[in-house]
Amino acid sequence: MDTTPLTASPLAATDYPLLNIFWTMLELFVWILWFFLLFKIITDIFRSHDLSGWGKAGWLILVILLPLIGVLVYLIARGQSMGKRDLEQARQNDAAFKAYIRDAAASDTAQGGAGHVDDLAKLADLKEKGAISEEEYQKAKAKILA
């Protein structure tokens, strides 16, 4: 059994000043920003349709082997077209989403006649008029939504 007295060790927070914490947070933020920019450029290289395979390979080699110079040169040379490709991708995603919504709504009305929304509205109207009870309303609602 060890009978040596415990000595008070300094806390870790006292050995690391507040300014160093801020500096560490800044360094971490810059690293995260750097990796985000690097991945954004690499995905843009592969997404670009105006580059040939050799062009894509060349840009990729430049960005990987000389990252700082490669990223800066890429942003200067192709930054404007990079923004255009982002905008076009966003438009395509929006159009696909709207087409999906239209198809889902059309199939819903084609399968159920007026569709679930209209059926639920009619059911709620019947309940408000007192034609059906709360219990009947809940059973019919569950049947429609099933």
Side-chain angles (χ1 to χ4, degrees):
M1 188 158 130
D2 188 20
T3 59
T4 58
L6 296 175
T7 58
S9 64
L11 296 174
T14 59
D15 290 342
Y16 205 66
L18 186 62
L19 192 57
N20 285 357
I21 293 172
F22 289 138
W23 183 252
T24 303
M25 289 172 56
L26 179 66
E27 288 175 342
L28 181 65
F29 175 75
V30 169
W31 272 106
I32 291 170
L33 185 67
W34 171 252
F35 282 116
F36 175 77
L37 182 62
L38 192 62
F39 291 137
K40 179 82 173 151
I41 287 176
I42 290 172
T43 55
D44 188 68
I45 290 171
F46 286 111
R47 185 174 54 180
S48 178
H49 295 295
D50 60 336
L51 280 176
S52 67
W54 288 107
K56 290 178 183 182
W59 277 114
L60 195 60
I61 289 170
L62 183 65
V63 167
I64 290 174
L65 293 182
L66 300 170
L68 185 62
I69 294 171
V71 166
L72 290 176
V73 170
Y74 188 85
L75 288 176
I76 291 168
R78 299 181 50 85
Q80 195 170 27
S81 62
M82 189 172 159
K84 290 177 184 176
R85 280 187 293 279
D86 281 343
L87 185 61
E88 182 60 32
Q89 183 69 35
R91 286 184 183 146
Q92 287 176 357
N93 289 346
D94 187 48
F97 178 71
K98 287 179 180 178
Y100 172 75
I101 295 294
R102 278 192 302 273
D103 290 345
S107 69
D108 187 36
T109 57
Q111 289 176 357
H116 294 313
V117 175
D118 292 336
D119 291 343
L120 288 171
K122 290 176 187 175
L123 197 59
D125 191 38
L126 286 173
K127 180 186 163 209
E128 286 177 13
K129 290 180 182 177
I132 60 173
S133 68
E134 177 68 30
E135 183 181 324
E136 292 170 329
Y137 171 76
Q138 292 298 333
K139 286 181 182 177
K141 180 178 155 186
K143 184 177 179 183
I144 289 172
L145 294 177

